[in-house]
Amino acid sequence: MGGTVEPAVGLAAPRAAHRLRVAARRITADCEFLLADATRRRSKLARDAIAGALVAAHELRAVVERIADAPGEAPGPGDGGAPDTLRDAQQRIVRSMTRILASVPTSLEDELLLADARAIRDQALRLHAGAADSAADGPAPAASGNGAGTAATAAGLETVRSPRPSVPTVAEPARARILVVDDSDAPRRMLKQLVGRLGHDVTEASGGHAAFGIATQEAIDLVISDIEMPEGDGFELLQRLKADERTRDVPVIMVSGLDDTASVVRCIEAGADDHIPKPFDAVLLRARLRSSLEQKRLRDRELAYLRRVAGLTAAALAVEDAAYEPGSLDTIAAHDDELGRLARVFDRLVLGFRAREAQLERRLDDLKREVRRTGAHQPQQVGEMDATTQIMHRVLAERYEVIEELGRGGMGRVYRARDRELGEEVAVKVVRHEVMRDDPALVDRLRTESRLARRITHRNVVRVFDVGEHEGTYFLTMELVRGITIESLLESRGRLGVTSTLAIATQLADALAVAHEQDVIHRDVKPANLLVDDEGVLKVMDFGLARLAERGRRLTQQGIVVGTPRYMAPEQLLDGDIDARTDLYAMGVVLYECLTGVLPFDAPSPVAMVARMVDGPPTPVVTLAPEVSAPLAALVGQLLAYDPAARPASAREVADRLRSVG
């Protein structure tokens, strides 16, 4: 029949059956809520109409459930026909709601009642959409305002039209706690009723002062507030909420009779999320309430994300302060997103770092025991020195007061001195006159290389401060370190244990890695230039000096040996190209000597040294020291490769490999 809504039944499509079931349950629940409200208000007309609709809704739901559970099953005897029963229940619901809509509203409560009745009627009219395969079957019939122009005939239900749009059946947001603030009882009660119908919890306040106290003590998701109130108006409440850290992210909707532009602008500028004038439209308020709660949900997610970021930042600071607790990021790591993955990686990195630190500590402990067994530190005595370097108890450059001699080497002597300007002790290395005489350009290169050496800042490198001159004698000032050289350790101990050697090797590799990254090549890595302090910390000395001297006379001039041939790489002995791998070869010689007590190659001259290297690799480390692990022995052998290309690519690679061997 033209204009008649024909609910579809007997459909096999699960999607259609599901839509019918949801619609029927929604209509039943809405009728129950509406009946409870009408009973409270003692409205006999509305109560009778809604009660009739509720009975029809239960009948409709029973038929829909039967259809959904057995979509292909025909109605049994006495059922009256499922299509007829469904159509009859639908028509009775629509007629009941139309009776209510025919009344004239006299209050805000009446407006809310009509809005709910209109929603129920529209849902009943749209039941046929629940049986369709798609929601795009066309617009649902619209209900008329206040029942005008609506008629139902015994033959069927005619479609009706109205300028007022139907209320869409959109799922409400999750249950929230909403604070309603108004000094008038009736509007406050109306707002509470509307919010309650949407499935939210409501807390009331009659003024701004009381509302602020509630908002700061309870978990409030949204505030709906009037503006004109004697005990703290809405503007004051809004400002206090947005100024307080505990409530600044709670959305606020202002509902007020002040609807002039200035009031609206003032509310928005003060931080309100919305402004609705009185008397408000219930449908509009419901939509804006839903929107504000969705914004709150998104903001809560954002804040939760920022808290997780702050947790990661705090963890990084805790690592820096050595206060990080493993597992403290478990809550963040439990999330399957970028931050969660970052937290899991961070925790693993810290645990690995701590494991490496513990490993290094064990190695340092062994190295410290080696140092203690050696006894008192003895200054290195190398050859006779000329009288021009005898400067004990003198003041160099009117600044450095020489206190005692610490050691001697091929380049000069090292003294402990007091810096009168800074009030601190430093080491002063005085360059021999012969070195300066044989290379007049050495002074300029000395200054250049000292500036280069100052670029290396690392705990395992002796810091170079400055170059100075005193009465024709040139000197360098550097960090004062008390300890013993690896050379003295080997002279005393013969050879070192594996863990002590690993402690030396790891620190030496770290120091060389930093230097090479600054394009600085040491060129004279040897036990005499490696100092161990009382805590087992290695200090690499003389960065740059060997490099400078090598630019002058390469090997021997007037008895001065520049570089130490027994620790020099083949390409260095043959005046070939030199790069970071040259230092790595020298490192290999040092480690070989520490582990075995002997040098891999030894000969009376540089030419003979090269010949020995060409003959083949040295005796394997494990032959002389069976306790050395195969990975460590293999690394030392690779460092001693004749061809630079066969050595490790960088000191950083060596450092990484050393941390994984034993």
Side-chain angles (χ1 to χ4, degrees), residues 23 68 81 95 102 163 236 243 281 288 395 565 567 575 595 601 605 632 661:
R95 291 192 187 98
E236 179 185 350
D281 181 89
R288 293 189 173 179
V395 177
Y567 298 93
D575 198 20
L595 291 169
F601 302 104
S605 70
L632 178 57
V661 302

Side-chain angles (χ1 to χ4, degrees), residues 216 336 492 507 530 575:
T216 54
D336 189 21
S492 172
Q507 297 179 85
L530 306 177
D575 198 20

Side-chain angles (χ1 to χ4, degrees), residues 40 109 112 180 184-194 204:
R40 180 186 61 79
E109 285 193 342
L112 293 174
V180 174
S184 300
D185 292 339
R188 192 170 69 245
R189 188 168 60 252
M190 295 303 99
L191 284 170
K192 180 179 180 181
Q193 181 180 350
L194 173 62
E204 299 178 70

Side-chain angles (χ1 to χ4, degrees), residues 230-306:
E231 296 181 3
D233 64 22
F235 289 127
E236 179 185 350
L237 172 61
L238 180 59
Q239 291 169 353
R240 294 181 68 185
L241 289 173
K242 296 305 174 181
D244 194 289
E245 187 177 283
R246 296 167 293 180
T247 56
R248 68 171 54 136
D249 294 308
V250 177
V252 180
I253 297 177
M254 307 302 288
V255 179
S256 172
L258 298 176
D259 59 349
D260 58 284
T261 302
S263 297
V264 176
V265 169
R266 184 180 175 187
C267 288
I268 300 302
E269 288 181 343
D273 293 77
D274 215 330
H275 180 283
I276 301 176
K278 288 182 179 179
F280 62 83
D281 181 89
V283 176
L284 176 63
L285 178 60
R286 178 183 298 185
R288 293 189 173 179
L289 185 146
R290 181 185 294 112
S291 175
S292 295
L293 288 176
E294 176 63 15
Q295 292 179 22
K296 175 65 163 52
R297 185 184 67 83
L298 294 176
R299 178 57 176 164
D300 287 344
R301 288 180 59 185
E302 179 185 13
L303 291 174
Y305 186 88
L306 293 176

Side-chain angles (χ1 to χ4, degrees), residues 397 411 429 431 436 439-455 464-477 520 543-549 551:
M411 295 294 296
K429 183 161 190 172
V431 182
M436 304 298 300
D439 188 358
L442 182 60
V443 174
D444 291 336
R445 294 200 296 271
L446 194 65
R447 292 194 175 99
T448 299
E449 293 298 335
S450 68
R451 288 195 296 270
L452 191 62
R454 284 200 300 271
R455 292 166 56 183
V464 176
F465 298 137
D466 201 0
V467 177
E469 184 269 337
H470 177 80
E471 298 178 357
T473 299
Y474 287 87
F475 60 89
L476 289 88
T477 58
V520 177
F543 260 106
L545 285 182
R547 177 181 185 179
L548 293 174
R551 289 176 177 172

Side-chain angles (χ1 to χ4, degrees), residues 15 48 61 160 174 177 205 225 235 252 264 277 293 336 340 347 362 405 409 457 462 547 561 568:
R15 185 178 179 186
D48 292 345
R61 180 175 175 181
V160 293
R177 177 170 291 278
S225 176
F235 289 127
V252 180
V264 176
L293 288 176
D336 189 21
D347 195 66
R362 291 192 296 271
E405 182 180 329
T457 303
V462 175
R547 177 181 185 179
V561 177
M568 293 168 67

